[in-house]
Amino acid sequence: MKDQGLVILISGRGSNAMALVEAAASGILPIPVHAVIADRPAPGLACAASKDVDTAMVPRSAFPDRAAFESALAETVAGFRPRLIALAGFMRVLSAGFVRQHADRMVNIHPSLLPKYRGLDTHARVLRAGDAEHGASVHWVTPELDAGPIIAQVKLPVHDGDDVASLAERVLAQEHRLYPAALALLLANPVGDRHETSNDTIPPVLDLDFNDAGHLRCTGR
Ligand code: GRF
């Protein structure tokens, strides 16, 4: 089963990582989670261990520079021989070299409807802009931050009276549905080695365009 699984990189609580672990256990995600790896003492590591998932820590603070850290991280990831690497709240910008080394195998979840709101503080920025709609995106990782081809999105309305906390909570709940479903989608619908959207296509949206088994519906959108 090596070469067929998922390795998840986290920096914090790891709720998306746990959603992926649970989806693999229930069969929604059609590949196993081989390991959860953190760049610091992240609470999500204990959650993963409690579900009998292998864990590892490659602390950034233990290395003199980014190159040395990334080399150790690449070696640790390679030890689990993953089919896919999922970033889930991994709070480091990876170098172009690391990204190229893992091309077509590394995805990320971002709490906005990309290409809107790359980077941090997405919920506050959505509220400030007065947007009626918000959501989350799963995308391929490319050297430019949060700019890779979008695999799938989930959308939800912004409510009157929403604040950052309420919006963040509702988006996170949808992220936990989106990430496993998006990975199932890309594994079920490979285009060459990757399922991606080009600039002139609309990314598939959870509940509208595909189901949890990763089957695209013919919606005619
Ligand atoms: C999520 O909102 C994810 O989209 C973003 O960082 C957050 C991580 O949360 N990249 P968690 O650690 O998965 O709970």
Side-chain angles (χ1 to χ4, degrees), residues 10-18 44 87-91 108-112 122-123 136-137 146 168 171-172 175-176 179:
I10 66 167
S11 295
R13 71 191 154 188
S15 69
N16 276 291
M18 292 315 293
L87 308 187
F90 186 68
M91 299 302 287
N108 180 44
I109 187 159
H110 181 76
S112 81
T122 58
H123 310 304
S137 307
D146 300 330
V171 171
L172 190 65
E175 288 183 42
H176 296 163
Y179 216 168

Side-chain angles (χ1 to χ4, degrees), residues 16-221:
N16 276 291
M18 292 315 293
L20 290 168
V21 166
E22 279 158 24
S26 71
I28 290 172
L29 182 65
I31 56 174
V33 177
H34 286 332
V36 174
I37 301 173
D39 66 333
R40 63 191 79 174
L45 289 178
C47 302
S50 76
K51 298 282 181 184
D52 292 328
V53 174
D54 280 350
T55 61
M57 188 168 48
V58 183
R60 170 65 184 88
S61 55
F63 298 92
D65 54 33
R66 182 163 84 166
F69 163 70
E70 288 190 345
S71 160
L73 181 63
E75 195 176 319
T76 302
V77 168
F80 293 103
R81 293 170 51 196
R83 162 78 176 82
L84 288 173
I85 301 161
L87 308 187
F90 186 68
M91 299 302 287
R92 297 215 163 268
V93 178
L94 294 162
S95 70
F98 187 97
V99 171
R100 268 189 230 107
Q101 192 184 346
H102 301 91
D104 292 348
R105 278 194 300 146
M106 193 154 56
V107 297
N108 180 44
I109 187 159
H110 181 76
S112 81
L113 292 173
L114 291 171
K116 293 181 88 171
Y117 308 117
R118 295 173 185 167
L120 298 174
D121 300 325
T122 58
H123 310 304
R125 289 155 70 198
V126 163
L127 289 171
R128 266 201 307 276
D131 291 359
E133 191 173 56
H134 189 24
S137 307
V138 173
H139 65 94
W140 291 102
V141 177
T142 57
E144 194 181 345
L145 185 69
D146 300 330
I150 299 165
I151 297 159
Q153 295 183 317
V154 65
K155 297 183 177 181
L156 53 111
V158 178
H159 294 158
D160 288 345
D162 257 333
D163 57 18
V164 168
S166 66
L167 199 50
E169 187 181 330
R170 293 209 330 282
V171 171
L172 190 65
Q174 295 306 314
E175 288 183 42
H176 296 163
R177 298 178 59 236
L178 175 68
Y179 216 168
L183 297 192
L185 177 75
L186 78 87
L187 289 164
N189 303 277
V191 174
D193 203 24
R194 42 196 281 178
H195 179 92
E196 64 178 63
T197 55
S198 64
N199 288 340
D200 54 2
T201 59
I202 304 168
V205 175
L206 189 61
D207 299 322
L208 291 178
D209 300 319
F210 65 101
N211 61 26
D212 284 349
H215 298 301
L216 288 166
R217 296 190 183 116
C218 299
T219 60
R221 290 199 317 129

